[in-house]
Amino acid sequence: MRLRAPRNRVPGRAIGWWSVQSALFALPLPLTFAILWASIPPTRELFMWFTLISLAPGLLYMAVMPFWRYRVHRWEVTDEAVYASSGWLWQQWRVVPLSRVQTVDTLRGPLQQLFGLSGISVTTASSSAVHIKGLDQKAGDELVAYLTRATQAVPGDAA
């Protein structure tokens, strides 16, 4: 098995999915402060500063994270292994030989479904897993079917 970076990118729709995720993470606190700013006149100046201070890093996060993750997230499946690179601040690159694969799971949250995306989790006997997030739903289903067939055909420890 030759170690190398994975070749396939996730579809561009993953940027939208990650953008919505980042907004759901970054905006509740500034919105809460903004509501308090608007509704409690004696504390308006204080909550104005809280709103601005909490909004600035949130907007930076929302502007950078989805595109950075898209640049990093890659995956590939060969006859020998599953490769995946992921993350944005803490990046990881994982390789799982097909002979070690025990389970292949499909992951689809509500936001992923909204964007027509899914993810898969490939788990080994040592309970380490490769997660490929942001796949096209059809590609994810085909990948799960392929890995199920391929792992049954590959002799090895997990068979």
Side-chain angles (χ1 to χ4, degrees):
M1 177 173 20
R2 197 177 104 234
L3 296 178
R4 58 181 168 69
R7 292 186 180 145
N8 304 319
R9 281 193 169 198
V10 296
R13 293 188 314 273
I15 295 172
W17 172 51
W18 288 319
S19 295
V20 171
Q21 279 185 319
S22 67
L24 290 173
F25 175 76
L27 293 180
L29 184 61
L31 287 175
T32 302
F33 287 143
I35 291 168
L36 293 171
W37 175 22
S39 61
I40 307 174
T43 61
R44 280 203 172 133
E45 186 174 343
L46 177 68
F47 283 120
M48 175 193 69
W49 286 111
F50 285 174
T51 302
L52 295 175
I53 289 168
S54 63
L55 188 60
L59 291 176
L60 181 64
Y61 175 73
M62 290 170 50
V64 172
M65 186 276 290
F67 297 98
W68 188 266
R69 284 185 80 175
Y70 180 74
R71 188 181 79 72
V72 171
H73 276 63
R74 295 184 184 274
W75 65 277
E76 184 175 359
V77 175
T78 66
D79 292 336
E80 295 87 29
V82 178
Y83 300 83
S85 64
S86 62
W88 74 287
L89 286 180
W90 287 268
Q91 297 176 13
Q92 65 175 234
W93 182 56
R94 309 273 320 242
V95 179
V96 172
L98 290 183
S99 63
R100 302 280 185 196
V101 173
Q102 283 202 325
T103 62
V104 181
D105 300 311
T106 302
L107 313 164
R108 281 192 193 123
L111 288 178
Q112 284 176 304
Q113 292 179 37
L114 182 68
F115 285 92
L117 301 171
S118 68
I120 66 164
S121 177
V122 180
T123 310
T124 66
S126 65
S127 74
S128 63
V130 169
H131 302 284
I132 304 172
K133 298 177 182 178
L135 290 171
D136 179 74
Q137 278 188 359
K138 184 178 177 186
D141 291 342
E142 290 171 359
L143 188 56
V144 167
Y146 171 78
L147 287 172
T148 302
R149 287 189 310 273
T151 55
Q152 290 175 353
V154 173
D157 297 350

